[in-house]
Amino acid sequence: MSEPCCSHGCATPSAVRSPRYRRVLWAALIVNAMMFGIELAGGLHAGSVSLLADAVDFLGDAANYGISLLVLGMALRWRARAALFKGLTMGAFGVFVLTRAAWSATTGTVPEPVTMGAIGALALLANVAVAAMLYAWREGDANMRSVWLCSRNDAIGNLAVMAAALGVFGTGSAWPDLAVAAIMGSLAIAAAASVVRQATTELRPAAAGPVTP
């Protein structure tokens, strides 16, 4: 990643105030809320940890888009605080997924691969569409960057869920599902660390400027 001003949080004012960016965030919020319900039901039906993990991720993303809409246009310090909160929740999601995968490994339940694959494909289409809409704002401040990272990681996670479905189908074992869930959890923790580092930098007085808390 490059290190110009924007990588340290200097969001382009026109981008922050763009009506188009606000509409994209609303669309992303709606898509993620709908996919949360679909994946939650599908994950429970299929007994898939990776689908349940992805459902929780969709819920977290919907909340994150709502927070981004709330602070959009506010001072950099407020946007950085929102990004810090989102980074911490992304990290908590990663820990939850790793813990759930470890617990499921002890039960030996084999998920249903057809449902996994079908819902994973639907989720991939949804996340690719959202990521494409957000691509133009991927290098903004920490808040904007966290939104882009969420969408990018979700698309990668959906591909992994589909691969896990093939693995479960071919082996009759739960391990492909658990392995993908562990990867998704680790990816969330890595992205969270990146967002938290940038948000922390933006909250320093030298970066944020003389903004009243």
Side-chain angles (χ1 to χ4, degrees), residues 1 83-84 86-92 142 145-146 149 153 185-201:
M1 179 173 59
L84 181 61
K86 290 190 289 184
L88 293 174
T89 58
M90 288 167 65
R145 180 167 172 75
S146 69
L149 285 173
N153 290 351
S186 299
L187 185 62
I189 291 173
S194 174
V195 171
V196 168
R197 280 196 301 269
Q198 186 172 348
T200 301
T201 298

PDB file of all heavy atoms in Angstrom, residues 1 83-84 86-92 142 145-146 149 153 185-201:
ATOM      1  N   MET A   1       0.849  -1.187   0.000  1.00  0.00           N
ATOM      2  CA  MET A   1       0.000   0.000   0.000  1.00  0.00           C
ATOM      3  C   MET A   1       0.879   1.229   0.000  1.00  0.00           C
ATOM      4  O   MET A   1       1.871   1.297   0.708  1.00  0.00           O
ATOM      5  CB  MET A   1      -0.904   0.012   1.230  1.00  0.00           C
ATOM      6  CG  MET A   1      -1.819   1.227   1.323  1.00  0.00           C
ATOM      7  SD  MET A   1      -2.975   1.054   2.698  1.00  0.00           S
ATOM      8  CE  MET A   1      -1.867   0.885   4.091  1.00  0.00           C
ATOM      9  N   ALA A  83     -14.061   4.618  12.573  1.00  0.00           N
ATOM     10  CA  ALA A  83     -13.220   3.574  11.982  1.00  0.00           C
ATOM     11  C   ALA A  83     -12.568   2.718  13.064  1.00  0.00           C
ATOM     12  O   ALA A  83     -12.436   1.495  12.912  1.00  0.00           O
ATOM     13  CB  ALA A  83     -12.149   4.206  11.095  1.00  0.00           C
ATOM     14  N   LEU A  84     -12.150   3.350  14.163  1.00  0.00           N
ATOM     15  CA  LEU A  84     -11.555   2.601  15.264  1.00  0.00           C
ATOM     16  C   LEU A  84     -12.553   1.608  15.839  1.00  0.00           C
ATOM     17  O   LEU A  84     -12.222   0.441  16.094  1.00  0.00           O
ATOM     18  CB  LEU A  84     -11.081   3.570  16.353  1.00  0.00           C
ATOM     19  CG  LEU A  84     -10.414   2.946  17.580  1.00  0.00           C
ATOM     20  CD1 LEU A  84      -9.162   2.183  17.172  1.00  0.00           C
ATOM     21  CD2 LEU A  84     -10.069   4.026  18.601  1.00  0.00           C
ATOM     22  N   LYS A  86     -15.133   0.299  14.265  1.00  0.00           N
ATOM     23  CA  LYS A  86     -15.346  -0.752  13.272  1.00  0.00           C
ATOM     24  C   LYS A  86     -14.170  -1.719  13.233  1.00  0.00           C
ATOM     25  O   LYS A  86     -14.356  -2.932  13.080  1.00  0.00           O
ATOM     26  CB  LYS A  86     -15.586  -0.134  11.897  1.00  0.00           C
ATOM     27  CG  LYS A  86     -16.932   0.570  11.791  1.00  0.00           C
ATOM     28  CD  LYS A  86     -17.254   0.955  10.364  1.00  0.00           C
ATOM     29  CE  LYS A  86     -16.388   2.091   9.891  1.00  0.00           C
ATOM     30  NZ  LYS A  86     -16.775   2.527   8.528  1.00  0.00           N
ATOM     31  N   GLY A  87     -12.954  -1.187  13.362  1.00  0.00           N
ATOM     32  CA  GLY A  87     -11.795  -2.067  13.382  1.00  0.00           C
ATOM     33  C   GLY A  87     -11.833  -3.032  14.556  1.00  0.00           C
ATOM     34  O   GLY A  87     -11.525  -4.222  14.417  1.00  0.00           O
ATOM     35  N   LEU A  88     -12.227  -2.521  15.720  1.00  0.00           N
ATOM     36  CA  LEU A  88     -12.319  -3.383  16.896  1.00  0.00           C
ATOM     37  C   LEU A  88     -13.405  -4.442  16.724  1.00  0.00           C
ATOM     38  O   LEU A  88     -13.234  -5.597  17.147  1.00  0.00           O
ATOM     39  CB  LEU A  88     -12.582  -2.532  18.141  1.00  0.00           C
ATOM     40  CG  LEU A  88     -11.430  -1.592  18.554  1.00  0.00           C
ATOM     41  CD1 LEU A  88     -11.862  -0.701  19.710  1.00  0.00           C
ATOM     42  CD2 LEU A  88     -10.192  -2.402  18.924  1.00  0.00           C
ATOM     43  N   THR A  89     -14.549  -4.069  16.114  1.00  0.00           N
ATOM     44  CA  THR A  89     -15.608  -5.056  15.904  1.00  0.00           C
ATOM     45  C   THR A  89     -15.190  -6.098  14.866  1.00  0.00           C
ATOM     46  O   THR A  89     -15.559  -7.279  14.990  1.00  0.00           O
ATOM     47  CB  THR A  89     -16.918  -4.385  15.461  1.00  0.00           C
ATOM     48  OG1 THR A  89     -16.703  -3.640  14.254  1.00  0.00           O
ATOM     49  CG2 THR A  89     -17.437  -3.447  16.534  1.00  0.00           C
ATOM     50  N   MET A  90     -14.426  -5.688  13.844  1.00  0.00           N
ATOM     51  CA  MET A  90     -13.912  -6.645  12.875  1.00  0.00           C
ATOM     52  C   MET A  90     -13.009  -7.660  13.574  1.00  0.00           C
ATOM     53  O   MET A  90     -13.063  -8.862  13.301  1.00  0.00           O
ATOM     54  CB  MET A  90     -13.132  -5.920  11.773  1.00  0.00           C
ATOM     55  CG  MET A  90     -14.005  -5.136  10.803  1.00  0.00           C
ATOM     56  SD  MET A  90     -13.051  -3.990   9.756  1.00  0.00           S
ATOM     57  CE  MET A  90     -12.080  -5.155   8.798  1.00  0.00           C
ATOM     58  N   GLY A  91     -12.165  -7.162  14.497  1.00  0.00           N
ATOM     59  CA  GLY A  91     -11.292  -8.064  15.239  1.00  0.00           C
ATOM     60  C   GLY A  91     -12.079  -9.016  16.126  1.00  0.00           C
ATOM     61  O   GLY A  91     -11.754 -10.207  16.235  1.00  0.00           O
ATOM     62  N   ALA A  92     -13.131  -8.489  16.771  1.00  0.00           N
ATOM     63  CA  ALA A  92     -13.971  -9.338  17.614  1.00  0.00           C
ATOM     64  C   ALA A  92     -14.656 -10.416  16.784  1.00  0.00           C
ATOM     65  O   ALA A  92     -14.784 -11.572  17.222  1.00  0.00           O
ATOM     66  CB  ALA A  92     -15.014  -8.485  18.334  1.00  0.00           C
ATOM     67  N   ALA A 142      -9.492   6.507   7.091  1.00  0.00           N
ATOM     68  CA  ALA A 142      -9.614   5.178   7.698  1.00  0.00           C
ATOM     69  C   ALA A 142     -11.044   4.666   7.648  1.00  0.00           C
ATOM     70  O   ALA A 142     -11.279   3.470   7.460  1.00  0.00           O
ATOM     71  CB  ALA A 142      -9.127   5.225   9.153  1.00  0.00           C
ATOM     72  N   ARG A 145     -11.685   3.600   4.077  1.00  0.00           N
ATOM     73  CA  ARG A 145     -10.882   2.415   3.791  1.00  0.00           C
ATOM     74  C   ARG A 145     -11.459   1.172   4.458  1.00  0.00           C
ATOM     75  O   ARG A 145     -11.453   0.088   3.890  1.00  0.00           O
ATOM     76  CB  ARG A 145      -9.442   2.633   4.247  1.00  0.00           C
ATOM     77  CG  ARG A 145      -8.535   1.433   3.993  1.00  0.00           C
ATOM     78  CD  ARG A 145      -7.072   1.776   4.148  1.00  0.00           C
ATOM     79  NE  ARG A 145      -6.260   0.585   4.078  1.00  0.00           N
ATOM     80  CZ  ARG A 145      -5.975  -0.083   2.963  1.00  0.00           C
ATOM     81  NH1 ARG A 145      -6.465   0.340   1.817  1.00  0.00           N
ATOM     82  NH2 ARG A 145      -5.223  -1.165   2.990  1.00  0.00           N
ATOM     83  N   SER A 146     -11.979   1.334   5.683  1.00  0.00           N
ATOM     84  CA  SER A 146     -12.552   0.184   6.384  1.00  0.00           C
ATOM     85  C   SER A 146     -13.769  -0.357   5.638  1.00  0.00           C
ATOM     86  O   SER A 146     -14.008  -1.570   5.600  1.00  0.00           O
ATOM     87  CB  SER A 146     -12.924   0.567   7.820  1.00  0.00           C
ATOM     88  OG  SER A 146     -14.017   1.454   7.847  1.00  0.00           O
ATOM     89  N   LEU A 149     -12.370  -2.340   2.692  1.00  0.00           N
ATOM     90  CA  LEU A 149     -11.768  -3.601   3.136  1.00  0.00           C
ATOM     91  C   LEU A 149     -12.831  -4.627   3.501  1.00  0.00           C
ATOM     92  O   LEU A 149     -12.679  -5.815   3.210  1.00  0.00           O
ATOM     93  CB  LEU A 149     -10.840  -3.355   4.332  1.00  0.00           C
ATOM     94  CG  LEU A 149      -9.486  -2.715   4.020  1.00  0.00           C
ATOM     95  CD1 LEU A 149      -8.750  -2.375   5.311  1.00  0.00           C
ATOM     96  CD2 LEU A 149      -8.644  -3.651   3.160  1.00  0.00           C
ATOM     97  N   ASN A 153     -12.887  -8.154   1.558  1.00  0.00           N
ATOM     98  CA  ASN A 153     -12.697  -9.388   2.312  1.00  0.00           C
ATOM     99  C   ASN A 153     -13.909 -10.299   2.223  1.00  0.00           C
ATOM    100  O   ASN A 153     -13.783 -11.527   2.216  1.00  0.00           O
ATOM    101  CB  ASN A 153     -12.400  -9.068   3.777  1.00  0.00           C
ATOM    102  CG  ASN A 153     -11.021  -8.450   3.966  1.00  0.00           C
ATOM    103  OD1 ASN A 153     -10.226  -8.406   3.031  1.00  0.00           O
ATOM    104  ND2 ASN A 153     -10.755  -7.956   5.150  1.00  0.00           N
ATOM    105  N   GLY A 185     -11.705 -15.936   9.809  1.00  0.00           N
ATOM    106  CA  GLY A 185     -11.450 -15.284  11.086  1.00  0.00           C
ATOM    107  C   GLY A 185     -10.099 -14.589  11.111  1.00  0.00           C
ATOM    108  O   GLY A 185      -9.968 -13.455  11.586  1.00  0.00           O
ATOM    109  N   SER A 186      -9.081 -15.257  10.567  1.00  0.00           N
ATOM    110  CA  SER A 186      -7.743 -14.672  10.528  1.00  0.00           C
ATOM    111  C   SER A 186      -7.701 -13.447   9.621  1.00  0.00           C
ATOM    112  O   SER A 186      -7.038 -12.443   9.928  1.00  0.00           O
ATOM    113  CB  SER A 186      -6.734 -15.723  10.032  1.00  0.00           C
ATOM    114  OG  SER A 186      -6.705 -16.842  10.903  1.00  0.00           O
ATOM    115  N   LEU A 187      -8.408 -13.509   8.492  1.00  0.00           N
ATOM    116  CA  LEU A 187      -8.469 -12.383   7.568  1.00  0.00           C
ATOM    117  C   LEU A 187      -9.129 -11.177   8.220  1.00  0.00           C
ATOM    118  O   LEU A 187      -8.687 -10.026   8.053  1.00  0.00           O
ATOM    119  CB  LEU A 187      -9.243 -12.782   6.310  1.00  0.00           C
ATOM    120  CG  LEU A 187      -9.304 -11.769   5.166  1.00  0.00           C
ATOM    121  CD1 LEU A 187      -7.913 -11.481   4.622  1.00  0.00           C
ATOM    122  CD2 LEU A 187     -10.209 -12.283   4.051  1.00  0.00           C
ATOM    123  N   ALA A 188     -10.178 -11.415   8.988  1.00  0.00           N
ATOM    124  CA  ALA A 188     -10.865 -10.323   9.687  1.00  0.00           C
ATOM    125  C   ALA A 188      -9.943  -9.668  10.703  1.00  0.00           C
ATOM    126  O   ALA A 188      -9.922  -8.437  10.842  1.00  0.00           O
ATOM    127  CB  ALA A 188     -12.128 -10.847  10.373  1.00  0.00           C
ATOM    128  N   ILE A 189      -9.165 -10.471  11.406  1.00  0.00           N
ATOM    129  CA  ILE A 189      -8.248  -9.924  12.412  1.00  0.00           C
ATOM    130  C   ILE A 189      -7.152  -9.094  11.745  1.00  0.00           C
ATOM    131  O   ILE A 189      -6.794  -8.009  12.222  1.00  0.00           O
ATOM    132  CB  ILE A 189      -7.637 -11.064  13.250  1.00  0.00           C
ATOM    133  CG1 ILE A 189      -8.735 -11.701  14.139  1.00  0.00           C
ATOM    134  CG2 ILE A 189      -6.489 -10.547  14.111  1.00  0.00           C
ATOM    135  CD1 ILE A 189      -8.279 -12.941  14.876  1.00  0.00           C
ATOM    136  N   ALA A 190      -6.631  -9.565  10.619  1.00  0.00           N
ATOM    137  CA  ALA A 190      -5.589  -8.819   9.905  1.00  0.00           C
ATOM    138  C   ALA A 190      -6.123  -7.480   9.389  1.00  0.00           C
ATOM    139  O   ALA A 190      -5.459  -6.441   9.496  1.00  0.00           O
ATOM    140  CB  ALA A 190      -5.045  -9.656   8.753  1.00  0.00           C
ATOM    141  N   ALA A 191      -7.335  -7.495   8.798  1.00  0.00           N
ATOM    142  CA  ALA A 191      -7.932  -6.256   8.310  1.00  0.00           C
ATOM    143  C   ALA A 191      -8.222  -5.306   9.466  1.00  0.00           C
ATOM    144  O   ALA A 191      -8.026  -4.082   9.346  1.00  0.00           O
ATOM    145  CB  ALA A 191      -9.219  -6.557   7.544  1.00  0.00           C
ATOM    146  N   ALA A 192      -8.666  -5.849  10.593  1.00  0.00           N
ATOM    147  CA  ALA A 192      -8.947  -5.018  11.762  1.00  0.00           C
ATOM    148  C   ALA A 192      -7.692  -4.308  12.236  1.00  0.00           C
ATOM    149  O   ALA A 192      -7.722  -3.120  12.578  1.00  0.00           O
ATOM    150  CB  ALA A 192      -9.530  -5.874  12.882  1.00  0.00           C
ATOM    151  N   ALA A 193      -6.571  -5.020  12.248  1.00  0.00           N
ATOM    152  CA  ALA A 193      -5.315  -4.415  12.684  1.00  0.00           C
ATOM    153  C   ALA A 193      -4.921  -3.256  11.778  1.00  0.00           C
ATOM    154  O   ALA A 193      -4.455  -2.208  12.241  1.00  0.00           O
ATOM    155  CB  ALA A 193      -4.206  -5.471  12.705  1.00  0.00           C
ATOM    156  N   SER A 194      -5.138  -3.424  10.459  1.00  0.00           N
ATOM    157  CA  SER A 194      -4.810  -2.360   9.509  1.00  0.00           C
ATOM    158  C   SER A 194      -5.665  -1.119   9.746  1.00  0.00           C
ATOM    159  O   SER A 194      -5.159   0.013   9.760  1.00  0.00           O
ATOM    160  CB  SER A 194      -5.017  -2.873   8.070  1.00  0.00           C
ATOM    161  OG  SER A 194      -4.836  -1.840   7.122  1.00  0.00           O
ATOM    162  N   VAL A 195      -6.972  -1.318   9.939  1.00  0.00           N
ATOM    163  CA  VAL A 195      -7.880  -0.187  10.150  1.00  0.00           C
ATOM    164  C   VAL A 195      -7.588   0.508  11.477  1.00  0.00           C
ATOM    165  O   VAL A 195      -7.567   1.743  11.562  1.00  0.00           O
ATOM    166  CB  VAL A 195      -9.349  -0.662  10.102  1.00  0.00           C
ATOM    167  CG1 VAL A 195     -10.294   0.455  10.528  1.00  0.00           C
ATOM    168  CG2 VAL A 195      -9.695  -1.141   8.698  1.00  0.00           C
ATOM    169  N   VAL A 196      -7.327  -0.269  12.523  1.00  0.00           N
ATOM    170  CA  VAL A 196      -7.052   0.314  13.840  1.00  0.00           C
ATOM    171  C   VAL A 196      -5.771   1.141  13.802  1.00  0.00           C
ATOM    172  O   VAL A 196      -5.705   2.237  14.376  1.00  0.00           O
ATOM    173  CB  VAL A 196      -6.966  -0.789  14.916  1.00  0.00           C
ATOM    174  CG1 VAL A 196      -6.391  -0.233  16.216  1.00  0.00           C
ATOM    175  CG2 VAL A 196      -8.345  -1.387  15.171  1.00  0.00           C
ATOM    176  N   ARG A 197      -4.747   0.639  13.109  1.00  0.00           N
ATOM    177  CA  ARG A 197      -3.501   1.397  13.011  1.00  0.00           C
ATOM    178  C   ARG A 197      -3.725   2.742  12.327  1.00  0.00           C
ATOM    179  O   ARG A 197      -3.236   3.776  12.784  1.00  0.00           O
ATOM    180  CB  ARG A 197      -2.442   0.593  12.235  1.00  0.00           C
ATOM    181  CG  ARG A 197      -1.737  -0.475  13.049  1.00  0.00           C
ATOM    182  CD  ARG A 197      -0.486  -0.945  12.352  1.00  0.00           C
ATOM    183  NE  ARG A 197      -0.763  -1.485  11.024  1.00  0.00           N
ATOM    184  CZ  ARG A 197      -1.029  -2.767  10.774  1.00  0.00           C
ATOM    185  NH1 ARG A 197      -1.059  -3.639  11.769  1.00  0.00           N
ATOM    186  NH2 ARG A 197      -1.258  -3.178   9.547  1.00  0.00           N
ATOM    187  N   GLN A 198      -4.458   2.735  11.206  1.00  0.00           N
ATOM    188  CA  GLN A 198      -4.686   3.986  10.493  1.00  0.00           C
ATOM    189  C   GLN A 198      -5.573   4.927  11.299  1.00  0.00           C
ATOM    190  O   GLN A 198      -5.335   6.134  11.354  1.00  0.00           O
ATOM    191  CB  GLN A 198      -5.311   3.719   9.123  1.00  0.00           C
ATOM    192  CG  GLN A 198      -5.447   4.989   8.273  1.00  0.00           C
ATOM    193  CD  GLN A 198      -5.881   4.707   6.854  1.00  0.00           C
ATOM    194  OE1 GLN A 198      -5.876   3.566   6.415  1.00  0.00           O
ATOM    195  NE2 GLN A 198      -6.260   5.747   6.137  1.00  0.00           N
ATOM    196  N   ALA A 199      -6.611   4.401  11.934  1.00  0.00           N
ATOM    197  CA  ALA A 199      -7.502   5.240  12.737  1.00  0.00           C
ATOM    198  C   ALA A 199      -6.749   5.865  13.908  1.00  0.00           C
ATOM    199  O   ALA A 199      -6.958   7.044  14.240  1.00  0.00           O
ATOM    200  CB  ALA A 199      -8.680   4.416  13.245  1.00  0.00           C
ATOM    201  N   THR A 200      -5.867   5.090  14.532  1.00  0.00           N
ATOM    202  CA  THR A 200      -5.081   5.607  15.649  1.00  0.00           C
ATOM    203  C   THR A 200      -4.177   6.749  15.193  1.00  0.00           C
ATOM    204  O   THR A 200      -4.034   7.767  15.885  1.00  0.00           O
ATOM    205  CB  THR A 200      -4.233   4.485  16.268  1.00  0.00           C
ATOM    206  OG1 THR A 200      -5.096   3.428  16.716  1.00  0.00           O
ATOM    207  CG2 THR A 200      -3.435   4.997  17.460  1.00  0.00           C
ATOM    208  N   THR A 201      -3.596   6.597  14.003  1.00  0.00           N
ATOM    209  CA  THR A 201      -2.758   7.664  13.441  1.00  0.00           C
ATOM    210  C   THR A 201      -3.575   8.928  13.213  1.00  0.00           C
ATOM    211  O   THR A 201      -3.130  10.038  13.513  1.00  0.00           O
ATOM    212  CB  THR A 201      -2.137   7.208  12.107  1.00  0.00           C
ATOM    213  OG1 THR A 201      -1.297   6.071  12.347  1.00  0.00           O
ATOM    214  CG2 THR A 201      -1.307   8.316  11.482  1.00  0.00           C
TER     215      THR A 201
END
